[in-house]
Structure formats: C-alpha cells, structure tokens
Amino acid sequence: MNVYGEQVTKLIGELSSLPGIGVKGATRLAFHIINMPEEKALSLADAISSARKGVKYCKRCWTLTDGEECSVCASPNRDHKTIMVVESPKDYAAYERTGKYNGVYHVLHGVINPSLGIGVSDIRLRELILRLEQEDTEELIIATNLSVEGEATAVYISKLVKPTGIKITRIASGVPVGGDLECVDEFTLLRALEGRVEL
Amino acid sequence: MNVYGEQVTKLIGELSSLPGIGVKGATRLAFHIINMPEEKALSLADAISSARKGVKYCKRCWTLTDGEECSVCASPNRDHKTIMVVESPKDYAAYERTGKYNGVYHVLHGVINPSLGIGVSDIRLRELILRLEQEDTEELIIATNLSVEGEATAVYISKLVKPTGIKITRIASGVPVGGDLECVDEFTLLRALEGRVEL
C-alpha cells in the first residue's frame, strides 16, 4: 500500500537504491528531507544533479577536478617524473593528506576484475601508457589496493611497462603502524616477514 | 584541500549533513552518484525536489497523501468514530501494516519536547481538538511512542480531552510478542506486571 503518497514513496525507492541504505534508512532520510526547509532540500537536489552533470577529470591524471588540470598536475613544484598509479580519486586524496608525497598521480578508476566484467579497456590504463610514451617518467609507483584484483592489476601493469625500462615499484605491504601483531591476519604477517628491511 | 573539485566536495557536504551519514559514507555515496548513469542521478535529484515541494497532508488526519484526503479517511468502510493518535506517518503506516485496525488516525507530527523547544503549538494538537469538536468521536486511542516525551504527550492529551467525555485509551505497554523476559529491561517488566490481564 502506497501509504506515504506517491512522491515520498518514489523518494524512498530512489534512496534505498543507493549503496548501504536499506528501506528503513531510506524512509528515515525521506522524512528528514520532507521536513527540511525547502531551500535546503532543493540545494541537496541541485548538488546531486550538478555534481553528476558537471563531473570533470584532470586531462593528465584523470582525478576529479574543476578545471582542465588538477592542482597537483598543474604545480611546477611537484616531481612530474614520478607517477603514482591509484585506483580512485579517494586514494589520490588519501596520499595527498599525508602531505609527504611530492610526485604526481594517475587515477585508473577501477582495477581489472573479470568477475565483475571489468577488463583492461574499462580502466584508464591506455591513458597511462600514452602518458609514459609522452612524458619523461623515471619511476612508476603502483599503489592499487592490496586486494586480489589490485595485486593482479599491479602485476599486469608492471609486465606492460617493464620493456620501457622505467623503474617500477609497488607500495610496501606489512603490519600497519600502531598495529598489534596478535590482531593482524596471517597473510599480512607473512608479507611483513618477506618484506623485512635491514636496520 | 578541495581535492575532489568544488562540485563533488559540495555534494559530500550536503550528503554528510543528513542524519546517520558521516563524511566517509557521504564520500562513498557521492562517488556512487557521479558514477551513476546520468538519468538515474537526475531522477534521484528530481525525487528529492518534487517530494519536498509536493508534500501534501491529509486535511483530516494530517498523514502524507497525494490527494486531499488519505485513503483511510476517504474510506466509508472504516470506523470514523475511533481515532488513533500517532506521532508520525511512519506509525500510521506501521498500524496499517497490521491490517487489523479499522478506525482512523490523527498524525501529530511530533510530540511535546521542551528540551528540543517543541511545544503544544508545534504539533497538530489544535487540529485534533477541532476534529473532536466537529466529529462524532467515541474513542480516542493514544498511540504515541512509549518514550518519556510520548508518555508526557499522552497524559497532556488525555487531560485536555477528558472534559469532552470521549473515551480515551492508551496502547498497552509490556513484553513484546516473542520477547525473552531475560532480555527485557526492568521498566518494561514492571509495566507488564502492572498491566496484567485476567485469563
């Protein structure tokens, strides 16, 4: 039964199709929205449509940006000979938050995942290869996630780029800083052992 | 740093102001939205603005509805002499889902809550009193929540309506069906004891 009227029911349906939001959560959000001041609700709606319509990517590294190039690619103070390959703009943002990485990025927008039908041509890999041909890159740091797909994509990229002679590195895997060995899974413990460094 | 561009950052801000959504969740939702097919994202935005702009209340019971009156108030098969007072359209929907209640409703849209500055005039109480004056009501069932504010509002309404001679009842409070006594709080256990019925 369409107990809340057509429009509110439609809104609940739309909200519950978002990831991590069930019907109960969507109902709560819908009620919050219809009780909001009208200009706040319209501003939320407008933020959704403008973000979707106006989404722009940096022409060099493919992260999200407002202009033609992101602030990192446009900066003369960054080391443009070091490119870090990440899966998403969120990973780009995570490394930017460290404030210590001085190179530039390349955002793949995904990883190769045959089980989801995501192949080599569905991620920004061709764009990376083109960049490596055009730019004078010295090091390619592969920082895809440490998941099965992230690892497989890292191996794929490294095989692809190897013949160019560019130095290829992978971010280290091991026990997180502040991590308690007792709480760390055995794969990570083995990785930490394999990747041990001399003091 | 505005690392995702202005529009996506604005969208994250708007989403994270919704209840139960933090910055991480809002970021995840924003990325989901910008990766949606454009017509799906616009349809979500449109559902928000139309639900907010087009929100309509039943002129008798104040629940959400599409037309002038909700289907319950418009039905000649319902007992219009029995009015159940609920806090929100969600509670209306919950009792409608039982399929066993044959009376009509009155939606207060809140309860008296001095700590949040919600007074008698902020809920649809005046409308209830007007209805009781105009309609030939036999029983008023107070079904506000069993919270402190819901209970206080129930007492307030019952004192207000008492002089009219209308029968006033309150939904029962006790151990939920299927409930395990061991897991029920002591207030509910005492309520269940006080409200015991003869078999």
Side-chain angles (χ1 to χ4, degrees), chain A residues 1 3-7 11 14 18-19 31-34 36 38 41-43 45 48-54 64 66 71 89-90 92-93, chain B residues 1 3-7 11 14 18-19 31-34 36 38 41-43 45 48-54 64 66 71 89-90 92-93:
Chain A
M1 202 181 123
V3 84
Y4 299 130
E6 198 190 328
Q7 289 183 325
L11 177 58
E14 292 276 353
L18 295 173
F31 274 85
H32 180 83
I33 288 168
I34 59 172
M36 270 176 165
E38 186 161 329
L42 298 187
S43 140
I48 290 173
S49 52
S50 354
R52 180 60 191 84
K53 282 193 284 193
L64 293 165
D66 287 324
S71 56
K90 282 184 267 193
Y92 170 117
Chain B
M1 201 180 122
V3 82
Y4 299 131
E6 200 190 327
Q7 289 183 324
L11 177 58
E14 292 275 354
L18 295 174
F31 274 86
H32 180 85
I33 287 167
I34 60 173
M36 269 177 166
E38 187 161 327
L42 297 187
S43 138
I48 290 173
S49 53
S50 357
R52 180 61 190 84
K53 283 194 283 193
L64 295 165
D66 287 324
S71 57
K90 281 184 265 192
Y92 170 118

Short mmCIF file of all heavy atoms in Angstrom, two decimals, chain A residues 1 3-7 11 14 18-19 31-34 36 38 41-43 45 48-54 64 66 71 89-90 92-93, chain B residues 1 3-7 11 14 18-19 31-34 36 38 41-43 45 48-54 64 66 71 89-90 92-93:
data_model
loop_
_atom_site.label_atom_id
_atom_site.label_comp_id
_atom_site.label_asym_id
_atom_site.label_seq_id
_atom_site.Cartn_x
_atom_site.Cartn_y
_atom_site.Cartn_z
N MET A 1 0.85 -1.21 0.00
CA MET A 1 0.00 0.00 0.00
C MET A 1 0.87 1.24 0.00
O MET A 1 1.87 1.33 0.70
CB MET A 1 -0.88 0.00 1.26
CG MET A 1 -2.11 0.87 1.09
SD MET A 1 -3.04 0.84 2.63
CE MET A 1 -3.10 2.57 3.00
N VAL A 3 1.35 4.05 1.28
CA VAL A 3 0.84 4.71 2.47
C VAL A 3 1.38 6.12 2.70
O VAL A 3 0.80 6.89 3.44
CB VAL A 3 1.05 3.77 3.69
CG1 VAL A 3 2.44 3.91 4.23
CG2 VAL A 3 0.03 3.99 4.75
N TYR A 4 2.49 6.47 2.03
CA TYR A 4 3.06 7.80 2.22
C TYR A 4 2.78 8.73 1.03
O TYR A 4 3.36 9.81 0.94
CB TYR A 4 4.57 7.72 2.41
CG TYR A 4 5.01 6.92 3.61
CD1 TYR A 4 5.96 5.94 3.50
CD2 TYR A 4 4.46 7.18 4.86
CE1 TYR A 4 6.37 5.21 4.60
CE2 TYR A 4 4.86 6.45 5.97
CZ TYR A 4 5.81 5.47 5.82
OH TYR A 4 6.22 4.76 6.91
N GLY A 5 1.95 8.31 0.10
CA GLY A 5 1.74 9.12 -1.10
C GLY A 5 2.81 8.78 -2.13
O GLY A 5 3.89 8.31 -1.79
N GLU A 6 2.51 9.09 -3.38
CA GLU A 6 3.35 8.64 -4.50
C GLU A 6 4.77 9.21 -4.45
O GLU A 6 5.75 8.51 -4.62
CB GLU A 6 2.66 9.07 -5.79
CG GLU A 6 3.15 8.33 -7.03
CD GLU A 6 2.58 8.99 -8.28
OE1 GLU A 6 1.46 9.53 -8.21
OE2 GLU A 6 3.28 8.99 -9.30
N GLN A 7 4.86 10.54 -4.20
CA GLN A 7 6.17 11.17 -4.31
C GLN A 7 7.13 10.75 -3.21
O GLN A 7 8.32 10.51 -3.47
CB GLN A 7 6.00 12.69 -4.30
CG GLN A 7 5.36 13.14 -5.62
CD GLN A 7 5.23 14.63 -5.69
OE1 GLN A 7 4.98 15.27 -4.67
NE2 GLN A 7 5.40 15.18 -6.86
N LEU A 11 10.63 8.69 -3.61
CA LEU A 11 11.89 9.15 -3.00
C LEU A 11 12.52 8.03 -2.16
O LEU A 11 13.72 7.79 -2.24
CB LEU A 11 11.63 10.39 -2.14
CG LEU A 11 12.83 10.96 -1.38
CD1 LEU A 11 13.97 11.31 -2.32
CD2 LEU A 11 12.44 12.18 -0.57
N GLU A 14 14.13 5.62 -4.53
CA GLU A 14 15.39 6.12 -5.09
C GLU A 14 16.51 6.06 -4.06
O GLU A 14 17.63 5.64 -4.36
CB GLU A 14 15.23 7.58 -5.54
CG GLU A 14 14.30 7.80 -6.72
CD GLU A 14 15.01 7.58 -8.05
OE1 GLU A 14 16.23 7.40 -8.05
OE2 GLU A 14 14.31 7.59 -9.08
N LEU A 18 20.57 3.35 -3.23
CA LEU A 18 21.96 3.77 -3.00
C LEU A 18 22.67 2.72 -2.14
O LEU A 18 22.04 2.05 -1.33
CB LEU A 18 22.00 5.13 -2.31
CG LEU A 18 21.45 6.30 -3.13
CD1 LEU A 18 21.39 7.56 -2.27
CD2 LEU A 18 22.31 6.56 -4.35
N PRO A 19 24.01 2.59 -2.29
CA PRO A 19 24.70 1.55 -1.53
C PRO A 19 24.68 1.83 -0.03
O PRO A 19 24.86 2.98 0.39
CB PRO A 19 26.14 1.62 -2.07
CG PRO A 19 26.28 2.99 -2.62
CD PRO A 19 24.91 3.39 -3.13
N PHE A 31 11.89 11.18 5.26
CA PHE A 31 11.16 12.02 6.21
C PHE A 31 11.98 13.22 6.63
O PHE A 31 11.46 14.31 6.81
CB PHE A 31 10.71 11.20 7.42
CG PHE A 31 9.40 10.52 7.18
CD1 PHE A 31 9.34 9.31 6.54
CD2 PHE A 31 8.22 11.16 7.52
CE1 PHE A 31 8.12 8.70 6.27
CE2 PHE A 31 7.00 10.58 7.25
CZ PHE A 31 6.95 9.34 6.63
N HIS A 32 13.29 13.00 6.78
CA HIS A 32 14.15 14.12 7.10
C HIS A 32 14.08 15.16 5.98
O HIS A 32 13.97 16.36 6.23
CB HIS A 32 15.58 13.63 7.30
CG HIS A 32 16.54 14.72 7.64
ND1 HIS A 32 16.71 15.18 8.91
CD2 HIS A 32 17.36 15.46 6.87
CE1 HIS A 32 17.60 16.16 8.92
NE2 HIS A 32 18.02 16.34 7.68
N ILE A 33 14.14 14.69 4.73
CA ILE A 33 14.16 15.60 3.58
C ILE A 33 12.85 16.39 3.47
O ILE A 33 12.88 17.60 3.27
CB ILE A 33 14.46 14.82 2.29
CG1 ILE A 33 15.94 14.40 2.29
CG2 ILE A 33 14.13 15.64 1.04
CD1 ILE A 33 16.32 13.38 1.24
N ILE A 34 11.70 15.72 3.65
CA ILE A 34 10.46 16.50 3.50
C ILE A 34 10.23 17.44 4.68
O ILE A 34 9.44 18.36 4.57
CB ILE A 34 9.22 15.60 3.27
CG1 ILE A 34 9.02 14.64 4.42
CG2 ILE A 34 9.31 14.86 1.94
CD1 ILE A 34 7.72 13.90 4.32
N MET A 36 12.83 19.15 5.93
CA MET A 36 13.87 20.17 5.81
C MET A 36 13.26 21.48 5.33
O MET A 36 12.25 21.47 4.65
CB MET A 36 14.85 19.75 4.69
CG MET A 36 16.02 18.93 5.08
SD MET A 36 16.84 18.54 3.49
CE MET A 36 18.41 17.96 4.09
N GLU A 38 12.66 24.17 2.67
CA GLU A 38 12.62 23.85 1.24
C GLU A 38 13.93 24.18 0.53
O GLU A 38 14.41 23.39 -0.29
CB GLU A 38 11.44 24.58 0.56
CG GLU A 38 11.30 24.16 -0.90
CD GLU A 38 9.92 24.48 -1.49
OE1 GLU A 38 8.94 24.46 -0.74
OE2 GLU A 38 9.86 24.73 -2.71
N ALA A 41 16.51 21.41 0.94
CA ALA A 41 16.22 20.21 0.17
C ALA A 41 16.54 20.44 -1.31
O ALA A 41 17.14 19.58 -1.97
CB ALA A 41 14.76 19.82 0.34
N LEU A 42 16.20 21.63 -1.80
CA LEU A 42 16.48 21.92 -3.22
C LEU A 42 17.98 22.03 -3.45
O LEU A 42 18.47 21.65 -4.51
CB LEU A 42 15.76 23.20 -3.64
CG LEU A 42 14.23 23.14 -3.56
CD1 LEU A 42 13.60 24.38 -4.14
CD2 LEU A 42 13.68 21.89 -4.25
N SER A 43 18.69 22.51 -2.44
CA SER A 43 20.14 22.63 -2.59
C SER A 43 20.80 21.25 -2.62
O SER A 43 21.75 21.02 -3.37
CB SER A 43 20.67 23.52 -1.47
OG SER A 43 21.88 23.05 -0.96
N ALA A 45 19.26 18.54 -3.82
CA ALA A 45 18.90 18.01 -5.15
C ALA A 45 19.80 18.62 -6.21
O ALA A 45 20.30 17.94 -7.11
CB ALA A 45 17.44 18.32 -5.45
N ILE A 48 23.32 17.19 -6.24
CA ILE A 48 23.38 15.88 -6.90
C ILE A 48 23.41 16.06 -8.41
O ILE A 48 24.30 15.52 -9.09
CB ILE A 48 22.17 15.00 -6.48
CG1 ILE A 48 22.33 14.59 -5.02
CG2 ILE A 48 22.03 13.78 -7.38
CD1 ILE A 48 21.13 13.88 -4.44
N SER A 49 22.48 16.86 -8.96
CA SER A 49 22.46 16.97 -10.41
C SER A 49 23.67 17.73 -10.94
O SER A 49 24.25 17.33 -11.94
CB SER A 49 21.14 17.56 -10.92
OG SER A 49 20.87 18.75 -10.25
N SER A 50 24.12 18.78 -10.23
CA SER A 50 25.29 19.49 -10.78
C SER A 50 26.55 18.66 -10.67
O SER A 50 27.38 18.71 -11.57
CB SER A 50 25.54 20.86 -10.15
OG SER A 50 24.59 21.25 -9.27
N ALA A 51 26.70 17.91 -9.57
CA ALA A 51 27.92 17.09 -9.45
C ALA A 51 27.93 16.05 -10.57
O ALA A 51 28.96 15.80 -11.20
CB ALA A 51 27.99 16.42 -8.09
N ARG A 52 26.76 15.44 -10.84
CA ARG A 52 26.72 14.41 -11.88
C ARG A 52 26.94 14.99 -13.26
O ARG A 52 27.69 14.45 -14.08
CB ARG A 52 25.39 13.64 -11.82
CG ARG A 52 25.26 12.54 -12.87
CD ARG A 52 26.36 11.50 -12.70
NE ARG A 52 26.44 10.56 -13.81
CZ ARG A 52 27.09 10.78 -14.93
NH1 ARG A 52 27.73 11.94 -15.12
NH2 ARG A 52 27.12 9.87 -15.89
N LYS A 53 26.28 16.15 -13.52
CA LYS A 53 26.39 16.73 -14.86
C LYS A 53 27.74 17.39 -15.08
O LYS A 53 28.28 17.36 -16.18
CB LYS A 53 25.27 17.76 -15.08
CG LYS A 53 23.92 17.09 -15.38
CD LYS A 53 22.90 18.09 -15.90
CE LYS A 53 22.36 18.95 -14.79
NZ LYS A 53 21.16 19.71 -15.19
N GLY A 54 28.27 17.98 -14.00
CA GLY A 54 29.48 18.77 -14.16
C GLY A 54 30.76 18.02 -13.85
O GLY A 54 31.81 18.64 -13.72
N LEU A 64 39.32 13.73 -10.19
CA LEU A 64 38.24 14.71 -10.28
C LEU A 64 38.82 16.10 -10.08
O LEU A 64 39.67 16.30 -9.21
CB LEU A 64 37.22 14.46 -9.18
CG LEU A 64 36.45 13.16 -9.29
CD1 LEU A 64 35.75 12.87 -7.98
CD2 LEU A 64 35.45 13.23 -10.42
N ASP A 66 38.09 20.69 -10.99
CA ASP A 66 37.18 21.71 -11.51
C ASP A 66 37.65 22.21 -12.87
O ASP A 66 36.84 22.47 -13.75
CB ASP A 66 37.11 22.90 -10.54
CG ASP A 66 36.32 22.54 -9.30
OD1 ASP A 66 35.35 21.79 -9.45
OD2 ASP A 66 36.68 23.01 -8.22
N SER A 71 45.24 20.35 -9.31
CA SER A 71 46.25 21.24 -8.73
C SER A 71 47.62 20.57 -8.66
O SER A 71 48.65 21.23 -8.75
CB SER A 71 45.81 21.70 -7.34
OG SER A 71 45.56 20.57 -6.54
N PRO A 89 40.04 8.47 -7.09
CA PRO A 89 40.36 9.78 -6.53
C PRO A 89 40.44 9.76 -5.01
O PRO A 89 41.11 10.59 -4.41
CB PRO A 89 39.20 10.67 -7.00
CG PRO A 89 38.70 10.01 -8.24
CD PRO A 89 38.86 8.54 -7.99
N LYS A 90 39.76 8.80 -4.36
CA LYS A 90 39.82 8.71 -2.91
C LYS A 90 41.22 8.32 -2.45
O LYS A 90 41.70 8.77 -1.41
CB LYS A 90 38.82 7.67 -2.39
CG LYS A 90 37.40 8.20 -2.35
CD LYS A 90 36.46 7.20 -1.76
CE LYS A 90 35.84 6.37 -2.88
NZ LYS A 90 34.68 5.58 -2.40
N TYR A 92 44.00 8.92 -4.22
CA TYR A 92 44.75 10.14 -4.52
C TYR A 92 44.64 11.08 -3.31
O TYR A 92 45.65 11.57 -2.78
CB TYR A 92 44.12 10.74 -5.78
CG TYR A 92 44.51 12.12 -6.23
CD1 TYR A 92 45.14 12.31 -7.46
CD2 TYR A 92 44.21 13.25 -5.48
CE1 TYR A 92 45.46 13.58 -7.92
CE2 TYR A 92 44.53 14.52 -5.93
CZ TYR A 92 45.14 14.69 -7.14
OH TYR A 92 45.44 15.94 -7.58
N ALA A 93 43.39 11.29 -2.84
CA ALA A 93 43.16 12.19 -1.71
C ALA A 93 43.86 11.68 -0.46
O ALA A 93 44.41 12.46 0.32
CB ALA A 93 41.67 12.35 -1.45
N MET B 1 42.09 20.78 1.78
CA MET B 1 42.27 20.92 0.32
C MET B 1 41.07 20.36 -0.42
O MET B 1 40.53 19.31 -0.09
CB MET B 1 43.53 20.15 -0.09
CG MET B 1 44.10 20.61 -1.41
SD MET B 1 45.57 19.64 -1.79
CE MET B 1 45.07 18.95 -3.36
N VAL B 3 40.16 18.50 -2.78
CA VAL B 3 40.85 17.53 -3.62
C VAL B 3 39.95 16.86 -4.65
O VAL B 3 40.42 16.30 -5.63
CB VAL B 3 41.58 16.52 -2.69
CG1 VAL B 3 40.66 15.44 -2.20
CG2 VAL B 3 42.79 15.94 -3.37
N TYR B 4 38.63 16.94 -4.47
CA TYR B 4 37.73 16.30 -5.44
C TYR B 4 37.06 17.31 -6.37
O TYR B 4 36.15 16.95 -7.10
CB TYR B 4 36.61 15.54 -4.71
CG TYR B 4 37.12 14.43 -3.82
CD1 TYR B 4 36.66 14.31 -2.51
CD2 TYR B 4 38.02 13.48 -4.29
CE1 TYR B 4 37.10 13.28 -1.70
CE2 TYR B 4 38.46 12.47 -3.47
CZ TYR B 4 38.00 12.38 -2.17
OH TYR B 4 38.43 11.37 -1.37
N GLY B 5 37.49 18.57 -6.33
CA GLY B 5 36.81 19.59 -7.12
C GLY B 5 35.63 20.13 -6.33
O GLY B 5 35.12 19.49 -5.43
N GLU B 6 35.21 21.33 -6.71
CA GLU B 6 34.21 22.06 -5.93
C GLU B 6 32.87 21.34 -5.85
O GLU B 6 32.28 21.22 -4.78
CB GLU B 6 34.02 23.44 -6.58
CG GLU B 6 33.41 24.47 -5.68
CD GLU B 6 33.03 25.71 -6.49
OE1 GLU B 6 33.75 26.02 -7.47
OE2 GLU B 6 32.03 26.34 -6.15
N GLN B 7 32.37 20.86 -6.98
CA GLN B 7 31.02 20.30 -7.00
C GLN B 7 30.90 19.01 -6.22
O GLN B 7 29.93 18.81 -5.50
CB GLN B 7 30.58 20.11 -8.45
CG GLN B 7 30.33 21.46 -9.11
CD GLN B 7 29.81 21.32 -10.50
OE1 GLN B 7 30.21 20.41 -11.21
NE2 GLN B 7 28.92 22.22 -10.89
N LEU B 11 28.73 18.31 -2.85
CA LEU B 11 27.80 17.18 -2.72
C LEU B 11 28.10 16.37 -1.46
O LEU B 11 27.20 16.00 -0.71
CB LEU B 11 27.89 16.29 -3.97
CG LEU B 11 27.03 15.03 -3.96
CD1 LEU B 11 25.56 15.36 -3.76
CD2 LEU B 11 27.20 14.24 -5.25
N GLU B 14 26.74 18.26 1.48
CA GLU B 14 25.28 18.18 1.58
C GLU B 14 24.86 16.81 2.11
O GLU B 14 24.00 16.70 2.98
CB GLU B 14 24.63 18.40 0.20
CG GLU B 14 24.78 19.80 -0.36
CD GLU B 14 23.70 20.74 0.15
OE1 GLU B 14 22.78 20.29 0.84
OE2 GLU B 14 23.82 21.96 -0.14
N LEU B 18 23.03 14.91 6.28
CA LEU B 18 21.85 14.08 6.51
C LEU B 18 22.06 13.20 7.74
O LEU B 18 23.19 12.85 8.05
CB LEU B 18 21.57 13.20 5.28
CG LEU B 18 21.19 13.96 4.00
CD1 LEU B 18 21.10 13.00 2.82
CD2 LEU B 18 19.87 14.69 4.18
N PRO B 19 20.98 12.83 8.44
CA PRO B 19 21.16 12.06 9.67
C PRO B 19 21.71 10.66 9.38
O PRO B 19 21.29 10.01 8.42
CB PRO B 19 19.74 11.98 10.24
CG PRO B 19 18.85 12.18 9.07
CD PRO B 19 19.57 13.09 8.13
N PHE B 31 30.61 9.40 -4.71
CA PHE B 31 31.28 8.70 -5.81
C PHE B 31 30.33 7.78 -6.54
O PHE B 31 30.39 7.64 -7.75
CB PHE B 31 32.50 7.93 -5.29
CG PHE B 31 33.71 8.79 -5.25
CD1 PHE B 31 33.98 9.58 -4.15
CD2 PHE B 31 34.56 8.86 -6.33
CE1 PHE B 31 35.06 10.43 -4.11
CE2 PHE B 31 35.66 9.70 -6.32
CZ PHE B 31 35.91 10.48 -5.20
N HIS B 32 29.43 7.16 -5.77
CA HIS B 32 28.42 6.32 -6.41
C HIS B 32 27.56 7.16 -7.35
O HIS B 32 27.29 6.76 -8.48
CB HIS B 32 27.55 5.65 -5.35
CG HIS B 32 26.49 4.76 -5.90
ND1 HIS B 32 26.72 3.46 -6.24
CD2 HIS B 32 25.19 5.01 -6.20
CE1 HIS B 32 25.61 2.93 -6.73
NE2 HIS B 32 24.66 3.86 -6.71
N ILE B 33 27.17 8.35 -6.88
CA ILE B 33 26.28 9.21 -7.67
C ILE B 33 26.96 9.70 -8.94
O ILE B 33 26.37 9.66 -10.01
CB ILE B 33 25.78 10.39 -6.80
CG1 ILE B 33 24.75 9.88 -5.78
CG2 ILE B 33 25.17 11.50 -7.65
CD1 ILE B 33 24.40 10.84 -4.68
N ILE B 34 28.24 10.11 -8.85
CA ILE B 34 28.87 10.61 -10.08
C ILE B 34 29.19 9.49 -11.04
O ILE B 34 29.41 9.74 -12.22
CB ILE B 34 30.12 11.48 -9.81
CG1 ILE B 34 31.18 10.69 -9.07
CG2 ILE B 34 29.77 12.76 -9.05
CD1 ILE B 34 32.48 11.45 -8.94
N MET B 36 26.96 7.02 -11.48
CA MET B 36 25.66 6.53 -11.94
C MET B 36 25.41 6.96 -13.37
O MET B 36 25.93 8.00 -13.79
CB MET B 36 24.55 7.21 -11.12
CG MET B 36 24.11 6.53 -9.87
SD MET B 36 22.87 7.65 -9.14
CE MET B 36 22.12 6.59 -7.95
N GLU B 38 23.66 9.13 -15.99
CA GLU B 38 23.19 10.49 -15.71
C GLU B 38 21.69 10.55 -15.41
O GLU B 38 21.26 11.22 -14.48
CB GLU B 38 23.54 11.44 -16.85
CG GLU B 38 23.20 12.88 -16.49
CD GLU B 38 23.92 13.91 -17.36
OE1 GLU B 38 25.06 13.65 -17.78
OE2 GLU B 38 23.33 14.98 -17.59
N ALA B 41 20.90 9.61 -11.81
CA ALA B 41 21.28 10.64 -10.83
C ALA B 41 20.27 11.80 -10.88
O ALA B 41 19.85 12.30 -9.83
CB ALA B 41 22.69 11.15 -11.12
N LEU B 42 19.86 12.17 -12.09
CA LEU B 42 18.91 13.28 -12.20
C LEU B 42 17.55 12.88 -11.64
O LEU B 42 16.83 13.69 -11.06
CB LEU B 42 18.79 13.73 -13.66
CG LEU B 42 20.09 14.28 -14.26
CD1 LEU B 42 19.84 14.85 -15.64
CD2 LEU B 42 20.72 15.35 -13.36
N SER B 43 17.21 11.60 -11.78
CA SER B 43 15.94 11.14 -11.26
C SER B 43 15.94 11.15 -9.72
O SER B 43 14.95 11.48 -9.08
CB SER B 43 15.64 9.76 -11.86
OG SER B 43 15.13 8.88 -10.92
N ALA B 45 17.76 13.32 -7.93
CA ALA B 45 17.67 14.74 -7.59
C ALA B 45 16.23 15.23 -7.73
O ALA B 45 15.72 15.97 -6.88
CB ALA B 45 18.59 15.55 -8.50
N ILE B 48 13.96 14.09 -4.90
CA ILE B 48 14.15 14.90 -3.68
C ILE B 48 13.39 16.22 -3.80
O ILE B 48 12.60 16.57 -2.93
CB ILE B 48 15.65 15.15 -3.43
CG1 ILE B 48 16.33 13.85 -3.02
CG2 ILE B 48 15.86 16.24 -2.37
CD1 ILE B 48 17.83 13.92 -2.91
N SER B 49 13.59 16.93 -4.93
CA SER B 49 12.93 18.24 -5.01
C SER B 49 11.42 18.09 -5.15
O SER B 49 10.68 18.84 -4.52
CB SER B 49 13.53 19.11 -6.11
OG SER B 49 13.54 18.41 -7.31
N SER B 50 10.94 17.10 -5.91
CA SER B 50 9.48 17.01 -6.02
C SER B 50 8.84 16.54 -4.73
O SER B 50 7.75 17.00 -4.39
CB SER B 50 8.99 16.11 -7.16
OG SER B 50 9.99 15.59 -7.91
N ALA B 51 9.50 15.62 -4.01
CA ALA B 51 8.90 15.18 -2.75
C ALA B 51 8.82 16.35 -1.77
O ALA B 51 7.82 16.55 -1.10
CB ALA B 51 9.70 14.04 -2.14
N ARG B 52 9.89 17.17 -1.74
CA ARG B 52 9.88 18.30 -0.81
C ARG B 52 8.86 19.35 -1.22
O ARG B 52 8.13 19.89 -0.39
CB ARG B 52 11.28 18.92 -0.70
CG ARG B 52 11.35 20.11 0.25
CD ARG B 52 10.97 19.71 1.67
NE ARG B 52 10.80 20.85 2.56
CZ ARG B 52 9.69 21.57 2.67
NH1 ARG B 52 8.64 21.28 1.92
NH2 ARG B 52 9.63 22.58 3.52
N LYS B 53 8.83 19.65 -2.54
CA LYS B 53 7.93 20.70 -2.99
C LYS B 53 6.48 20.24 -2.98
O LYS B 53 5.58 21.02 -2.70
CB LYS B 53 8.31 21.17 -4.40
CG LYS B 53 9.53 22.08 -4.40
CD LYS B 53 9.71 22.80 -5.72
CE LYS B 53 10.30 21.89 -6.76
NZ LYS B 53 10.78 22.60 -7.95
N GLY B 54 6.28 18.96 -3.30
CA GLY B 54 4.90 18.49 -3.47
C GLY B 54 4.31 17.82 -2.24
O GLY B 54 3.27 17.18 -2.34
N LEU B 64 0.75 11.90 5.32
CA LEU B 64 1.18 12.25 3.97
C LEU B 64 0.23 11.60 2.98
O LEU B 64 -0.17 10.45 3.16
CB LEU B 64 2.58 11.71 3.71
CG LEU B 64 3.67 12.33 4.55
CD1 LEU B 64 4.92 11.48 4.48
CD2 LEU B 64 3.97 13.73 4.06
N ASP B 66 -1.43 11.88 -1.44
CA ASP B 66 -1.35 12.52 -2.75
C ASP B 66 -2.50 13.48 -2.97
O ASP B 66 -2.34 14.55 -3.52
CB ASP B 66 -1.35 11.46 -3.86
CG ASP B 66 -0.03 10.73 -3.90
OD1 ASP B 66 1.00 11.38 -3.66
OD2 ASP B 66 -0.03 9.52 -4.16
N SER B 71 -6.33 7.61 2.01
CA SER B 71 -7.25 6.53 1.66
C SER B 71 -8.05 6.05 2.87
O SER B 71 -9.18 5.60 2.74
CB SER B 71 -6.49 5.37 1.03
OG SER B 71 -5.49 4.92 1.91
N PRO B 89 3.67 9.76 10.30
CA PRO B 89 3.11 8.90 9.26
C PRO B 89 3.71 7.49 9.28
O PRO B 89 3.09 6.54 8.82
CB PRO B 89 3.48 9.63 7.96
CG PRO B 89 3.62 11.05 8.36
CD PRO B 89 4.22 11.01 9.74
N LYS B 90 4.93 7.36 9.84
CA LYS B 90 5.55 6.03 9.92
C LYS B 90 4.78 5.13 10.88
O LYS B 90 4.67 3.93 10.68
CB LYS B 90 7.00 6.15 10.40
CG LYS B 90 7.94 6.57 9.29
CD LYS B 90 9.37 6.59 9.76
CE LYS B 90 9.76 7.98 10.21
NZ LYS B 90 11.20 8.14 10.43
N TYR B 92 1.54 5.54 11.61
CA TYR B 92 0.31 5.29 10.85
C TYR B 92 0.53 4.07 9.94
O TYR B 92 -0.24 3.11 9.95
CB TYR B 92 0.03 6.57 10.05
CG TYR B 92 -1.05 6.57 9.00
CD1 TYR B 92 -2.15 7.40 9.13
CD2 TYR B 92 -0.95 5.81 7.84
CE1 TYR B 92 -3.13 7.47 8.14
CE2 TYR B 92 -1.92 5.87 6.86
CZ TYR B 92 -3.00 6.70 7.00
OH TYR B 92 -3.95 6.76 6.02
N ALA B 93 1.65 4.11 9.19
CA ALA B 93 1.94 3.01 8.26
C ALA B 93 2.13 1.70 9.01
O ALA B 93 1.71 0.64 8.54
CB ALA B 93 3.19 3.35 7.45
#
